Amino acid sequence: MKIFNTFTTVFLVGILMVSCKQETIQGDYFGEEFKISGKASKTSAPFDGITGKDSLQTQIVGEIKEVCQAKGCWMKVQLESDEEVFVRFKDYGFFVPKDAAGKKAVMNGAAFYEEMSVEDQKHYAEDEGASEDELAQITAPKKTLRFEADGVLIADQP
């Protein structure tokens, strides 16, 4: 009976440890290192409660779709909800590799909405290599999901 109780206890502790295990992502940190929260969001849910000029400290997870080819000073990240978030880096304090597109990233920082001016839209479009015709089509401000990361973890595997 004692052996059965010991075996049962070890089994239950093992199940508990496996069920509480957080997702482990191996990769490289850019900016500040951080511990991945079990609440890191793969959707735009953190943006739901934000209005006006509010922001929310959080973590988001997504696939890097595009990186600034001039310096690696911004990136566009696709969330599982098919929404795209424009990510800049706090105080222009770090950059990410220009070849990071297609990789999974976890970002720690502030989520917010921003109305991007025509001038800023054109600047970023130029960084992407937009043609004069494409730049001429930018004529109105645009409300975008934004994230200012103080740290980014880019996974070794996509």
Side-chain angles (χ1 to χ4, degrees):
M1 184 74 161
K2 190 173 187 175
I3 291 175
F4 178 75
N5 286 340
T6 303
F7 175 76
T8 302
T9 302
V10 169
F11 179 75
L12 291 174
V13 167
I15 295 277
L16 182 63
M17 288 177 70
V18 169
S19 66
C20 291
K21 182 181 177 188
Q22 289 187 2
E23 182 177 10
T24 302
I25 298 174
Q26 299 296 317
D28 295 315
Y29 281 94
F30 299 88
E32 295 178 19
E33 288 191 27
F34 55 92
K35 183 176 179 180
I36 298 174
S37 167
K39 296 179 182 181
S41 182
K42 296 179 180 180
T43 68
S44 62
F47 293 88
D48 292 346
I50 302 172
T51 58
K53 296 196 183 277
D54 290 342
S55 67
L56 174 69
Q57 288 297 121
T58 189
Q59 291 180 353
I60 57 174
V61 180
E63 180 184 341
I64 301 170
K65 292 311 232 179
E66 204 172 324
V67 176
C68 170
Q69 292 301 295
K71 295 182 186 178
C73 56
W74 55 261
M75 61 186 180
K76 292 181 181 177
V77 176
Q78 179 95 31
L79 304 176
E80 281 186 3
S81 58
D82 282 335
E83 294 179 274
E84 188 174 82
V85 178
F86 187 87
V87 180
R88 287 186 302 201
F89 310 116
K90 187 172 184 179
D91 299 328
Y92 212 59
F94 63 95
F95 305 117
V96 297
K98 294 186 272 186
D99 64 351
K103 294 187 178 181
K104 181 178 183 178
V106 181
M107 294 148 289
N108 190 71
F112 58 98
Y113 280 105
E114 180 176 84
E115 188 170 282
M116 188 184 298
S117 70
V118 171
E119 181 180 292
D120 284 348
Q121 289 179 67
K122 286 184 177 187
H123 170 80
Y124 292 122
E126 285 173 351
D127 284 352
E128 294 172 12
S131 69
E132 289 298 322
D133 289 340
E134 291 170 318
L135 293 173
Q137 293 176 14
I138 301 171
T139 59
K142 177 175 133 182
K143 188 173 181 180
T144 59
L145 298 174
R146 301 294 291 245
F147 197 86
E148 183 179 68
D150 51 38
V152 175
L153 170 61
I154 298 179
D156 292 334
Q157 301 294 322

